[in-house]
Amino acid sequence: MNKAIITVVGQDTVGIIARVCTYLSDRNVNVLDISQTIIDGFFNMMMIVDVAAAKTEFGAMVDDLEALGEEIGVRIRCQKEEIFTKMHRV
């Protein structure tokens, strides 16, 4: 399994989860876990995904998700699990 972490942060609007999940589904990326909260109108989501069978190269997917975020008014980051883990070690 080749895992990645996707974070989405921004003003809450209708369809954020649907747009991100549709993008991932179209590229054969499996969502393993998802957590989302809305606090005072601000949307925050974290996803763990399996990119092993992805139809899109990882770097292109990172760029596509950033562009999708700009389009829908949120910030989307996608990182390989090992990089995310190393960056957030205490």
Side-chain angles (χ1 to χ4, degrees), residues 14-87:
V14 173
I16 296 171
I17 296 171
R19 293 286 301 270
V20 174
C21 287
T22 298
Y23 172 87
L24 297 172
S25 176
D26 289 347
R27 282 142 190 92
N28 204 41
V29 174
N30 187 34
V31 176
L32 302 172
D33 200 359
I34 183 170
S35 171
Q36 64 98 25
T37 58
I38 300 167
I39 300 172
D40 198 25
F42 292 97
F43 179 86
N44 183 29
M45 178 171 69
M46 182 173 176
M47 305 172 88
I48 301 172
V49 299
D50 181 2
V51 295
K55 296 177 183 176
T56 302
E57 187 267 331
F58 187 78
M61 189 168 63
V62 169
D63 293 341
D64 289 349
L65 286 168
E66 286 180 9
L68 175 61
E70 289 178 20
E71 181 183 320
I72 61 177
V74 296
R75 183 160 191 263
I76 303 177
R77 272 191 91 178
C78 180
Q79 297 174 297
K80 295 215 176 212
E81 179 188 35
E82 52 272 7
I83 303 245
F84 183 88
T85 301
K86 288 179 181 175
M87 287 178 56

